CSV table of all heavy atoms in Angstrom, one decimal:
chain,number,residue,atom,x,y,z
A,1,MET,N,62.0,-3.3,11.4
A,1,MET,CA,60.8,-2.8,12.1
A,1,MET,C,59.6,-2.6,11.1
A,1,MET,O,59.8,-2.2,10.0
A,1,MET,CB,61.2,-1.4,12.7
A,1,MET,CG,60.3,-0.9,13.8
A,1,MET,SD,60.9,0.6,14.6
A,1,MET,CE,60.9,0.0,16.3
A,2,ALA,N,58.5,-2.9,11.6
A,2,ALA,CA,57.3,-2.8,10.7
A,2,ALA,C,56.2,-2.1,11.3
A,2,ALA,O,56.2,-1.9,12.6
A,2,ALA,CB,56.8,-4.3,10.3
A,3,LYS,N,55.4,-1.5,10.5
A,3,LYS,CA,54.2,-0.8,11.0
A,3,LYS,C,53.0,-1.8,11.2
A,3,LYS,O,52.8,-2.6,10.3
A,3,LYS,CB,53.8,0.3,10.0
A,3,LYS,CG,52.9,1.3,10.6
A,3,LYS,CD,52.6,2.4,9.7
A,3,LYS,CE,51.7,3.5,10.4
A,3,LYS,NZ,51.3,4.5,9.4
A,4,TYR,N,52.4,-1.7,12.3
A,4,TYR,CA,51.3,-2.7,12.6
A,4,TYR,C,50.0,-2.0,12.8
A,4,TYR,O,49.9,-0.8,13.1
A,4,TYR,CB,51.6,-3.5,13.9
A,4,TYR,CG,52.8,-4.4,13.8
A,4,TYR,CD1,54.1,-4.1,13.9
A,4,TYR,CD2,52.5,-5.8,13.5
A,4,TYR,CE1,55.2,-4.9,13.8
A,4,TYR,CE2,53.6,-6.7,13.3
A,4,TYR,CZ,54.9,-6.2,13.5
A,4,TYR,OH,55.9,-7.2,13.4
A,5,CYS,N,48.9,-2.8,12.6
A,5,CYS,CA,47.6,-2.3,12.9
A,5,CYS,C,46.8,-3.4,13.5
A,5,CYS,O,47.2,-4.6,13.4
A,5,CYS,CB,47.0,-1.7,11.6
A,5,CYS,SG,46.7,-2.9,10.3
A,6,VAL,N,45.6,-3.1,14.0
A,6,VAL,CA,44.7,-4.1,14.6
A,6,VAL,C,43.3,-3.9,14.0
A,6,VAL,O,42.9,-2.8,13.8
A,6,VAL,CB,44.8,-4.1,16.1
A,6,VAL,CG1,44.3,-2.8,16.7
A,6,VAL,CG2,44.0,-5.3,16.7
A,7,ASN,N,42.6,-5.0,13.8
A,7,ASN,CA,41.2,-4.9,13.4
A,7,ASN,C,40.4,-4.3,14.5
A,7,ASN,O,40.5,-4.8,15.6
A,7,ASN,CB,40.6,-6.3,13.1
A,7,ASN,CG,41.1,-7.0,11.9
A,7,ASN,OD1,42.0,-6.6,11.3
A,7,ASN,ND2,40.3,-7.9,11.4
A,8,LYS,N,39.6,-3.4,14.2
A,8,LYS,CA,38.6,-2.8,15.2
A,8,LYS,C,37.5,-3.9,15.5
A,8,LYS,O,37.1,-3.9,16.6
A,8,LYS,CB,38.0,-1.5,14.7
A,8,LYS,CG,39.0,-0.4,14.7
A,8,LYS,CD,38.3,0.9,14.2
A,8,LYS,CE,39.2,2.0,14.1
A,8,LYS,NZ,38.6,3.2,13.5
A,9,ASN,N,37.1,-4.6,14.5
A,9,ASN,CA,36.1,-5.6,14.7
A,9,ASN,C,36.7,-6.9,15.0
A,9,ASN,O,37.7,-7.3,14.4
A,9,ASN,CB,35.2,-5.7,13.4
A,9,ASN,CG,34.4,-4.5,13.1
A,9,ASN,OD1,34.1,-3.7,14.0
A,9,ASN,ND2,34.1,-4.3,11.9
A,10,ALA,N,36.1,-7.6,16.0
A,10,ALA,CA,36.7,-8.9,16.3
A,10,ALA,C,36.3,-9.9,15.3
A,10,ALA,O,35.3,-9.8,14.6
A,10,ALA,CB,36.1,-9.4,17.7
A,11,ASP,N,37.1,-11.0,15.1
A,11,ASP,CA,36.8,-12.0,14.1
A,11,ASP,C,35.8,-13.0,14.7
A,11,ASP,O,35.2,-12.7,15.8
A,11,ASP,CB,38.1,-12.8,13.7
A,11,ASP,CG,38.7,-13.6,14.9
A,11,ASP,OD1,38.0,-13.8,15.9
A,11,ASP,OD2,39.9,-14.0,14.7
A,12,GLU,N,35.4,-14.0,14.0
A,12,GLU,CA,34.3,-14.9,14.5
A,12,GLU,C,34.6,-15.6,15.8
A,12,GLU,O,33.7,-16.1,16.4
A,12,GLU,CB,34.0,-15.9,13.3
A,12,GLU,CG,35.1,-16.9,13.0
A,12,GLU,CD,36.1,-16.4,11.9
A,12,GLU,OE1,36.1,-15.2,11.7
A,12,GLU,OE2,36.7,-17.2,11.4
A,13,ASN,N,35.9,-15.6,16.2
A,13,ASN,CA,36.3,-16.2,17.5
A,13,ASN,C,36.4,-15.2,18.6
A,13,ASN,O,36.8,-15.5,19.7
A,13,ASN,CB,37.6,-17.0,17.3
A,13,ASN,CG,37.5,-18.1,16.3
A,13,ASN,OD1,36.5,-18.9,16.3
A,13,ASN,ND2,38.4,-18.2,15.4
A,14,GLY,N,36.2,-13.9,18.3
A,14,GLY,CA,36.2,-12.9,19.3
A,14,GLY,C,37.5,-12.2,19.4
A,14,GLY,O,37.7,-11.5,20.4
A,15,TYR,N,38.5,-12.5,18.5
A,15,TYR,CA,39.8,-11.9,18.6
A,15,TYR,C,40.0,-10.7,17.6
A,15,TYR,O,39.5,-10.8,16.5
A,15,TYR,CB,40.9,-12.9,18.3
A,15,TYR,CG,41.0,-14.0,19.4
A,15,TYR,CD1,40.3,-15.2,19.3
A,15,TYR,CD2,41.7,-13.7,20.6
A,15,TYR,CE1,40.4,-16.1,20.3
A,15,TYR,CE2,41.7,-14.6,21.6
A,15,TYR,CZ,41.1,-15.9,21.5
A,15,TYR,OH,41.1,-16.8,22.4
A,16,HIS,N,40.7,-9.7,18.1
A,16,HIS,CA,41.1,-8.6,17.2
A,16,HIS,C,42.4,-9.0,16.6
A,16,HIS,O,43.4,-9.2,17.3
A,16,HIS,CB,41.1,-7.3,18.0
A,16,HIS,CG,39.9,-6.9,18.6
A,16,HIS,ND1,39.0,-6.0,18.0
A,16,HIS,CD2,39.2,-7.4,19.6
A,16,HIS,CE1,37.9,-5.9,18.7
A,16,HIS,NE2,38.0,-6.7,19.7
A,17,GLU,N,42.5,-9.1,15.3
A,17,GLU,CA,43.8,-9.6,14.7
A,17,GLU,C,44.7,-8.4,14.4
A,17,GLU,O,44.4,-7.4,13.9
A,17,GLU,CB,43.4,-10.2,13.3
A,17,GLU,CG,42.9,-11.6,13.4
A,17,GLU,CD,43.1,-12.4,12.1
A,17,GLU,OE1,42.9,-11.9,11.1
A,17,GLU,OE2,43.6,-13.5,12.2
A,18,VAL,N,46.0,-8.7,14.7
A,18,VAL,CA,47.1,-7.8,14.4
A,18,VAL,C,47.7,-8.1,13.1
A,18,VAL,O,47.9,-9.3,12.8
A,18,VAL,CB,48.1,-7.8,15.5
A,18,VAL,CG1,49.4,-7.1,15.2
A,18,VAL,CG2,47.6,-7.3,16.9
A,19,HIS,N,47.9,-7.1,12.3
A,19,HIS,CA,48.6,-7.2,10.9
A,19,HIS,C,49.7,-6.3,10.8
A,19,HIS,O,49.8,-5.2,11.4
A,19,HIS,CB,47.6,-6.9,9.8
A,19,HIS,CG,46.4,-7.7,9.7
A,19,HIS,ND1,46.3,-8.9,9.0
A,19,HIS,CD2,45.2,-7.6,10.3
A,19,HIS,CE1,45.1,-9.4,9.1
A,19,HIS,NE2,44.4,-8.7,9.9
A,20,THR,N,50.6,-6.6,9.9
A,20,THR,CA,51.6,-5.6,9.4
A,20,THR,C,50.9,-4.8,8.2
A,20,THR,O,50.0,-5.4,7.6
A,20,THR,CB,52.9,-6.2,8.8
A,20,THR,OG1,52.6,-7.0,7.7
A,20,THR,CG2,53.6,-7.1,9.9
A,21,GLU,N,51.4,-3.7,7.9
A,21,GLU,CA,50.7,-2.8,6.9
A,21,GLU,C,50.9,-3.4,5.5
A,21,GLU,O,50.2,-3.0,4.6
A,21,GLU,CB,51.2,-1.4,7.0
A,21,GLU,CG,52.6,-1.2,6.6
A,21,GLU,CD,52.9,0.3,6.5
A,21,GLU,OE1,52.1,1.1,6.6
A,21,GLU,OE2,54.2,0.6,6.3
A,22,SER,N,51.8,-4.4,5.4
A,22,SER,CA,52.0,-5.0,4.0
A,22,SER,C,51.2,-6.3,3.9
A,22,SER,O,51.4,-6.9,2.8
A,22,SER,CB,53.5,-5.2,3.8
A,22,SER,OG,54.0,-6.0,4.8
A,23,CYS,N,50.4,-6.7,4.8
A,23,CYS,CA,49.7,-7.9,4.7
A,23,CYS,C,48.7,-7.9,3.6
A,23,CYS,O,48.0,-6.8,3.4
A,23,CYS,CB,49.0,-8.2,6.0
A,23,CYS,SG,48.0,-9.7,6.0
A,24,SER,N,48.5,-9.0,2.9
A,24,SER,CA,47.5,-9.1,1.9
A,24,SER,C,46.1,-9.2,2.4
A,24,SER,O,45.1,-9.1,1.7
A,24,SER,CB,47.7,-10.3,0.9
A,24,SER,OG,49.1,-10.5,0.8
A,25,TYR,N,45.9,-9.5,3.7
A,25,TYR,CA,44.6,-9.7,4.3
A,25,TYR,C,44.3,-8.6,5.3
A,25,TYR,O,43.5,-8.8,6.2
A,25,TYR,CB,44.6,-11.1,5.0
A,25,TYR,CG,44.8,-12.2,4.0
A,25,TYR,CD1,46.1,-12.6,3.7
A,25,TYR,CD2,43.7,-12.8,3.4
A,25,TYR,CE1,46.2,-13.7,2.8
A,25,TYR,CE2,43.8,-13.8,2.5
A,25,TYR,CZ,45.1,-14.2,2.2
A,25,TYR,OH,45.3,-15.2,1.3
A,26,LEU,N,44.8,-7.4,5.0
A,26,LEU,CA,44.4,-6.3,5.9
A,26,LEU,C,42.9,-6.0,5.8
A,26,LEU,O,42.3,-6.1,4.7
A,26,LEU,CB,45.1,-5.0,5.3
A,26,LEU,CG,46.6,-4.8,5.8
A,26,LEU,CD1,47.0,-3.5,5.1
A,26,LEU,CD2,46.7,-4.6,7.3
A,27,PRO,N,42.4,-5.6,6.9
A,27,PRO,CA,40.9,-5.2,6.9
A,27,PRO,C,40.8,-3.9,6.2
A,27,PRO,O,41.9,-3.2,6.0
A,27,PRO,CB,40.6,-5.1,8.3
A,27,PRO,CG,41.9,-4.8,9.0
A,27,PRO,CD,42.9,-5.5,8.3
A,28,ILE,N,39.6,-3.5,5.8
A,28,ILE,CA,39.5,-2.2,5.2
A,28,ILE,C,39.8,-1.1,6.2
A,28,ILE,O,39.8,-1.3,7.4
A,28,ILE,CB,38.0,-1.9,4.7
A,28,ILE,CG1,37.0,-2.1,5.8
A,28,ILE,CG2,37.6,-2.9,3.6
A,28,ILE,CD1,35.6,-1.6,5.5
A,29,SER,N,40.2,0.1,5.7
A,29,SER,CA,40.8,1.1,6.5
A,29,SER,C,39.9,1.6,7.7
A,29,SER,O,40.4,1.9,8.7
A,29,SER,CB,41.3,2.3,5.7
A,29,SER,OG,40.2,2.8,5.0
A,30,SER,N,38.6,1.6,7.4
A,30,SER,CA,37.7,2.0,8.5
A,30,SER,C,37.6,1.0,9.6
A,30,SER,O,37.1,1.3,10.7
A,30,SER,CB,36.3,2.3,7.9
A,30,SER,OG,35.8,1.1,7.4
A,31,ASN,N,38.2,-0.2,9.4
A,31,ASN,CA,38.1,-1.3,10.4
A,31,ASN,C,39.5,-1.5,10.9
A,31,ASN,O,39.8,-2.5,11.5
A,31,ASN,CB,37.6,-2.5,9.8
A,31,ASN,CG,37.4,-3.7,10.7
A,31,ASN,OD1,37.3,-3.5,11.9
A,31,ASN,ND2,37.5,-4.9,10.2
A,32,ARG,N,40.4,-0.5,10.8
A,32,ARG,CA,41.8,-0.7,11.1
A,32,ARG,C,42.2,0.4,12.2
A,32,ARG,O,41.9,1.5,12.0
A,32,ARG,CB,42.7,-0.4,9.9
A,32,ARG,CG,43.5,-1.6,9.5
A,32,ARG,CD,44.1,-1.6,8.2
A,32,ARG,NE,44.3,-0.4,7.4
A,32,ARG,CZ,44.3,-0.3,6.1
A,32,ARG,NH1,43.9,-1.4,5.4
A,32,ARG,NH2,44.5,0.8,5.5
A,33,GLN,N,42.8,-0.1,13.2
A,33,GLN,CA,43.4,0.9,14.2
A,33,GLN,C,44.9,0.8,14.1
A,33,GLN,O,45.5,-0.3,14.3
A,33,GLN,CB,42.9,0.5,15.6
A,33,GLN,CG,43.5,1.5,16.6
A,33,GLN,CD,42.7,1.4,17.9
A,33,GLN,OE1,41.6,0.8,18.0
A,33,GLN,NE2,43.2,2.0,18.9
A,34,ASP,N,45.5,1.9,13.9
A,34,ASP,CA,47.0,2.0,13.8
A,34,ASP,C,47.7,1.7,15.1
A,34,ASP,O,47.3,2.2,16.2
A,34,ASP,CB,47.4,3.4,13.3
A,34,ASP,CG,48.8,3.5,13.0
A,34,ASP,OD1,49.3,2.6,12.3
A,34,ASP,OD2,49.5,4.5,13.3
A,35,LEU,N,48.7,0.8,15.1
A,35,LEU,CA,49.5,0.5,16.3
A,35,LEU,C,50.9,1.1,16.3
A,35,LEU,O,51.6,1.0,17.2
A,35,LEU,CB,49.6,-1.0,16.5
A,35,LEU,CG,48.3,-1.8,16.7
A,35,LEU,CD1,48.5,-3.2,16.7
A,35,LEU,CD2,47.6,-1.3,18.0
A,36,GLY,N,51.3,1.7,15.2
A,36,GLY,CA,52.6,2.3,15.1
A,36,GLY,C,53.6,1.3,14.7
A,36,GLY,O,53.3,0.1,14.4
A,37,TYR,N,54.9,1.7,14.8
A,37,TYR,CA,56.0,0.7,14.5
A,37,TYR,C,56.5,-0.1,15.6
A,37,TYR,O,56.6,0.4,16.7
A,37,TYR,CB,57.2,1.6,13.9
A,37,TYR,CG,56.9,2.2,12.6
A,37,TYR,CD1,56.3,3.4,12.4
A,37,TYR,CD2,57.3,1.5,11.4
A,37,TYR,CE1,56.0,3.9,11.2
A,37,TYR,CE2,57.0,2.0,10.2
A,37,TYR,CZ,56.4,3.2,10.1
A,37,TYR,OH,56.1,3.7,8.8
A,38,HIS,N,56.8,-1.4,15.4
A,38,HIS,CA,57.3,-2.3,16.4
A,38,HIS,C,58.3,-3.2,15.8
A,38,HIS,O,58.3,-3.5,14.6
A,38,HIS,CB,56.1,-3.1,17.0
A,38,HIS,CG,55.1,-2.2,17.7
A,38,HIS,ND1,55.2,-1.8,18.9
A,38,HIS,CD2,53.9,-1.7,17.3
A,38,HIS,CE1,54.2,-1.0,19.3
A,38,HIS,NE2,53.4,-1.0,18.3
A,39,ASN,N,59.1,-3.7,16.7
A,39,ASN,CA,60.2,-4.6,16.3
A,39,ASN,C,59.7,-6.1,16.0
A,39,ASN,O,60.3,-6.8,15.3
A,39,ASN,CB,61.3,-4.7,17.4
A,39,ASN,CG,62.2,-3.5,17.4
A,39,ASN,OD1,62.6,-3.0,16.3
A,39,ASN,ND2,62.4,-2.9,18.5
A,40,SER,N,58.6,-6.4,16.6
A,40,SER,CA,58.1,-7.8,16.5
A,40,SER,C,56.6,-7.7,16.7
A,40,SER,O,56.1,-6.8,17.2
A,40,SER,CB,58.7,-8.7,17.5
A,40,SER,OG,58.3,-8.3,18.8
A,41,CYS,N,56.0,-8.8,16.2
A,41,CYS,CA,54.5,-8.9,16.3
A,41,CYS,C,54.1,-9.0,17.8
A,41,CYS,O,53.1,-8.5,18.2
A,41,CYS,CB,54.0,-10.1,15.5
A,41,CYS,SG,54.6,-11.7,16.1
A,42,SER,N,55.0,-9.6,18.7
A,42,SER,CA,54.6,-9.7,20.1
A,42,SER,C,54.5,-8.3,20.7
A,42,SER,O,53.6,-8.1,21.5
A,42,SER,CB,55.5,-10.6,20.8
A,42,SER,OG,56.9,-10.3,20.7
A,43,GLU,N,55.4,-7.4,20.3
A,43,GLU,CA,55.3,-6.0,20.8
A,43,GLU,C,54.0,-5.4,20.3
A,43,GLU,O,53.3,-4.7,21.1
A,43,GLU,CB,56.4,-5.1,20.3
A,43,GLU,CG,57.7,-5.2,21.1
A,43,GLU,CD,58.8,-4.3,20.6
A,43,GLU,OE1,58.4,-3.3,19.9
A,43,GLU,OE2,59.9,-4.6,20.8
A,44,ALA,N,53.6,-5.6,19.0
A,44,ALA,CA,52.4,-5.0,18.5
A,44,ALA,C,51.2,-5.6,19.2
A,44,ALA,O,50.2,-4.9,19.5
A,44,ALA,CB,52.4,-5.3,17.0
A,45,VAL,N,51.2,-6.9,19.5
A,45,VAL,CA,50.1,-7.5,20.2
A,45,VAL,C,50.0,-6.9,21.6
A,45,VAL,O,48.8,-6.6,22.1
A,45,VAL,CB,50.3,-9.1,20.3
A,45,VAL,CG1,49.4,-9.7,21.3
A,45,VAL,CG2,50.1,-9.7,18.9
A,46,GLN,N,51.1,-6.7,22.3
A,46,GLN,CA,51.0,-6.0,23.6
A,46,GLN,C,50.4,-4.6,23.5
A,46,GLN,O,49.5,-4.3,24.3
A,46,GLN,CB,52.4,-5.9,24.3
A,46,GLN,CG,53.0,-7.2,24.7
A,46,GLN,CD,52.1,-8.0,25.6
A,46,GLN,OE1,51.5,-7.4,26.6
A,46,GLN,NE2,51.9,-9.2,25.3
A,47,LYS,N,50.7,-3.9,22.5
A,47,LYS,CA,50.1,-2.6,22.3
A,47,LYS,C,48.6,-2.7,22.0
A,47,LYS,O,47.8,-2.0,22.6
A,47,LYS,CB,50.8,-1.9,21.1
A,47,LYS,CG,50.3,-0.5,20.7
A,47,LYS,CD,50.9,0.5,21.7
A,47,LYS,CE,50.3,1.9,21.3
A,47,LYS,NZ,50.9,2.6,20.2
A,48,ALA,N,48.2,-3.7,21.2
A,48,ALA,CA,46.9,-3.9,20.9
A,48,ALA,C,46.0,-4.3,22.1
A,48,ALA,O,44.9,-3.9,22.2
A,48,ALA,CB,46.7,-5.0,19.8
A,49,LYS,N,46.7,-4.9,23.0
A,49,LYS,CA,46.0,-5.4,24.2
A,49,LYS,C,45.7,-4.2,25.1
A,49,LYS,O,44.9,-4.4,26.1
A,49,LYS,CB,46.8,-6.4,25.0
A,49,LYS,CG,46.7,-7.8,24.3
A,49,LYS,CD,47.3,-8.9,25.1
A,49,LYS,CE,47.0,-10.2,24.5
A,49,LYS,NZ,47.8,-11.3,25.0
A,50,LEU,N,46.2,-3.0,24.9
A,50,LEU,CA,45.8,-1.8,25.6
A,50,LEU,C,44.4,-1.4,25.2
A,50,LEU,O,43.7,-0.8,25.9
A,50,LEU,CB,46.8,-0.7,25.3
A,50,LEU,CG,48.2,-0.8,25.7
A,50,LEU,CD1,49.1,0.4,25.2
A,50,LEU,CD2,48.4,-1.0,27.2
A,51,TYR,N,44.0,-1.8,24.0
A,51,TYR,CA,42.7,-1.4,23.5
A,51,TYR,C,41.7,-2.6,23.6
A,51,TYR,O,40.5,-2.3,23.8
A,51,TYR,CB,42.8,-1.0,22.0
A,51,TYR,CG,43.9,0.0,21.7
A,51,TYR,CD1,45.1,-0.3,21.1
A,51,TYR,CD2,43.6,1.3,22.2
A,51,TYR,CE1,46.0,0.7,20.9
A,51,TYR,CE2,44.6,2.3,21.9
A,51,TYR,CZ,45.8,2.0,21.3
A,51,TYR,OH,46.7,3.0,21.1
A,52,TYR,N,42.2,-3.8,23.4
A,52,TYR,CA,41.3,-4.9,23.3
A,52,TYR,C,41.8,-6.1,24.2
A,52,TYR,O,43.0,-6.3,24.2
A,52,TYR,CB,41.1,-5.5,21.9
A,52,TYR,CG,40.7,-4.4,20.9
A,52,TYR,CD1,41.6,-3.9,19.9
A,52,TYR,CD2,39.4,-3.9,20.9
A,52,TYR,CE1,41.2,-2.9,19.1
A,52,TYR,CE2,39.0,-2.9,20.1
A,52,TYR,CZ,39.9,-2.4,19.1
A,52,TYR,OH,39.5,-1.4,18.2
A,53,SER,N,41.0,-6.8,24.9
A,53,SER,CA,41.5,-7.8,25.8
A,53,SER,C,41.8,-9.1,25.0
A,53,SER,O,42.7,-9.8,25.4
A,53,SER,CB,40.5,-8.1,26.9
A,53,SER,OG,39.2,-8.4,26.3
A,54,SER,N,41.1,-9.4,23.9
A,54,SER,CA,41.4,-10.6,23.1
A,54,SER,C,42.1,-10.2,21.8
A,54,SER,O,41.4,-9.6,21.0
A,54,SER,CB,40.1,-11.3,22.8
A,54,SER,OG,39.5,-11.8,24.1
A,55,VAL,N,43.3,-10.5,21.7
A,55,VAL,CA,44.1,-10.1,20.5
A,55,VAL,C,44.9,-11.3,20.0
A,55,VAL,O,45.3,-12.1,20.8
A,55,VAL,CB,45.1,-9.0,20.9
A,55,VAL,CG1,46.0,-8.6,19.7
A,55,VAL,CG2,44.4,-7.8,21.4
A,56,ASP,N,44.9,-11.4,18.7
A,56,ASP,CA,45.7,-12.5,18.1
A,56,ASP,C,46.4,-12.0,16.9
A,56,ASP,O,46.0,-11.1,16.2
A,56,ASP,CB,44.7,-13.7,17.7
A,56,ASP,CG,45.4,-15.0,17.3
A,56,ASP,OD1,46.5,-15.2,17.9
A,56,ASP,OD2,44.8,-15.7,16.5
A,57,GLY,N,47.6,-12.7,16.6
A,57,GLY,CA,48.3,-12.3,15.4
A,57,GLY,C,47.7,-12.9,14.2
A,57,GLY,O,47.1,-14.0,14.2
A,58,CYS,N,47.8,-12.2,13.0
A,58,CYS,CA,47.3,-12.7,11.8
A,58,CYS,C,48.1,-14.0,11.4
A,58,CYS,O,49.3,-14.1,11.5
A,58,CYS,CB,47.4,-11.7,10.7
A,58,CYS,SG,47.1,-12.2,9.0
A,59,TYR,N,47.3,-15.0,10.9
A,59,TYR,CA,47.9,-16.3,10.5
A,59,TYR,C,49.0,-16.0,9.3
A,59,TYR,O,50.0,-16.7,9.2
A,59,TYR,CB,46.8,-17.2,9.9
A,59,TYR,CG,47.4,-18.5,9.3
A,59,TYR,CD1,47.8,-19.5,10.1
A,59,TYR,CD2,47.5,-18.6,7.9
A,59,TYR,CE1,48.3,-20.7,9.6
A,59,TYR,CE2,47.9,-19.8,7.4
A,59,TYR,CZ,48.4,-20.8,8.2
A,59,TYR,OH,48.8,-22.0,7.6
A,60,TYR,N,48.7,-15.0,8.5
A,60,TYR,CA,49.5,-14.8,7.3
A,60,TYR,C,50.7,-13.9,7.5
A,60,TYR,O,51.8,-14.2,7.1
A,60,TYR,CB,48.7,-14.2,6.2
A,60,TYR,CG,47.5,-15.1,5.8
A,60,TYR,CD1,46.3,-15.0,6.3
A,60,TYR,CD2,47.8,-16.3,4.9
A,60,TYR,CE1,45.2,-15.9,6.0
A,60,TYR,CE2,46.8,-17.1,4.6
A,60,TYR,CZ,45.5,-17.0,5.2
A,60,TYR,OH,44.5,-17.8,4.9
A,61,CYS,N,50.6,-12.8,8.3
A,61,CYS,CA,51.7,-11.9,8.4
A,61,CYS,C,52.3,-11.9,9.8
A,61,CYS,O,53.4,-11.4,9.9
A,61,CYS,CB,51.3,-10.5,8.0
A,61,CYS,SG,50.1,-9.8,9.2
A,62,CYS,N,51.7,-12.5,10.8
A,62,CYS,CA,52.2,-12.5,12.1
A,62,CYS,C,52.1,-13.9,12.7
A,62,CYS,O,51.6,-14.2,13.7
A,62,CYS,CB,51.4,-11.6,13.1
A,62,CYS,SG,51.4,-9.8,12.6
A,63,GLN,N,52.7,-14.9,11.9
A,63,GLN,CA,52.5,-16.3,12.2
A,63,GLN,C,53.1,-16.6,13.6
A,63,GLN,O,52.5,-17.4,14.3
A,63,GLN,CB,53.2,-17.1,11.2
A,63,GLN,CG,52.5,-18.4,11.0
A,63,GLN,CD,52.9,-19.0,9.6
A,63,GLN,OE1,54.1,-19.0,9.2
A,63,GLN,NE2,51.9,-19.6,9.0
A,64,ALA,N,54.2,-15.9,14.0
A,64,ALA,CA,54.8,-16.2,15.3
A,64,ALA,C,53.8,-15.8,16.4
A,64,ALA,O,53.9,-16.3,17.5
A,64,ALA,CB,56.1,-15.4,15.5
A,65,CYS,N,52.9,-14.9,16.2
A,65,CYS,CA,51.9,-14.5,17.2
A,65,CYS,C,50.5,-15.0,17.0
A,65,CYS,O,49.6,-14.6,17.7
A,65,CYS,CB,51.9,-12.9,17.2
A,65,CYS,SG,53.4,-12.2,17.7
A,66,HIS,N,50.4,-15.9,16.0
A,66,HIS,CA,49.1,-16.5,15.7
A,66,HIS,C,48.9,-17.7,16.6
A,66,HIS,O,49.6,-18.7,16.5
A,66,HIS,CB,49.0,-16.9,14.3
A,66,HIS,CG,47.7,-17.6,13.9
A,66,HIS,ND1,46.5,-16.9,13.8
A,66,HIS,CD2,47.4,-18.9,13.8
A,66,HIS,CE1,45.5,-17.8,13.6
A,66,HIS,NE2,46.1,-19.0,13.5
A,67,LYS,N,48.0,-17.5,17.6
A,67,LYS,CA,47.8,-18.6,18.6
A,67,LYS,C,46.4,-19.2,18.6
A,67,LYS,O,46.2,-20.3,19.2
A,67,LYS,CB,48.0,-18.0,20.1
A,67,LYS,CG,49.2,-17.1,20.2
A,67,LYS,CD,50.4,-18.0,20.7
A,67,LYS,CE,51.5,-17.1,21.2
A,67,LYS,NZ,52.7,-17.1,20.4
A,68,HIS,N,45.5,-18.5,18.0
A,68,HIS,CA,44.1,-19.0,18.1
A,68,HIS,C,43.5,-19.3,16.7
A,68,HIS,O,43.9,-18.9,15.7
A,68,HIS,CB,43.2,-17.9,18.7
A,68,HIS,CG,43.7,-17.5,20.1
A,68,HIS,ND1,43.5,-18.2,21.2
A,68,HIS,CD2,44.5,-16.5,20.5
A,68,HIS,CE1,44.1,-17.7,22.3
A,68,HIS,NE2,44.7,-16.6,21.9
B,1,ZN,ZN1,47.9,-10.1,8.3
């Protein structure tokens, strides 16, 4: 189980990226919304979708959920 967070600001394609807290490409803390602990990135993405309609997994830490 890992702790996840999502970028508050959308990326250049309009997606809010989901990261694990150990990712090297985490946004700065003021641009991070905590998503809590999840078993998989897909669960974390579902949680993030409660806040943002366009959500994508980080290419580096959530590759299974990186679609865009
Ligand atoms: Zn990441």
Side-chain angles (χ1 to χ4, degrees):
M1 201 171 234
K3 196 175 182 191
Y4 289 87
C5 63
V6 61
N7 281 22
K8 287 182 183 170
N9 294 337
D11 66 14
E12 63 272 19
N13 299 314
Y15 292 97
H16 296 262
E17 280 203 316
V18 168
H19 297 271
T20 65
E21 67 173 352
S22 56
C23 181
S24 324
Y25 294 89
L26 277 177
I28 57 166
S29 58
S30 62
N31 184 26
R32 240 165 24 213
Q33 181 162 348
D34 189 42
L35 295 174
Y37 288 87
H38 295 281
N39 285 313
S40 65
C41 62
S42 52
E43 275 184 24
V45 164
Q46 287 310 309
K47 178 82 185 276
K49 283 186 172 169
L50 298 175
Y51 306 109
Y52 304 110
S53 54
S54 298
V55 176
D56 194 26
C58 170
Y59 174 80
Y60 300 97
C61 65
C62 298
Q63 210 160 42
C65 296
H66 177 74
K67 312 270 196 246
H68 302 279

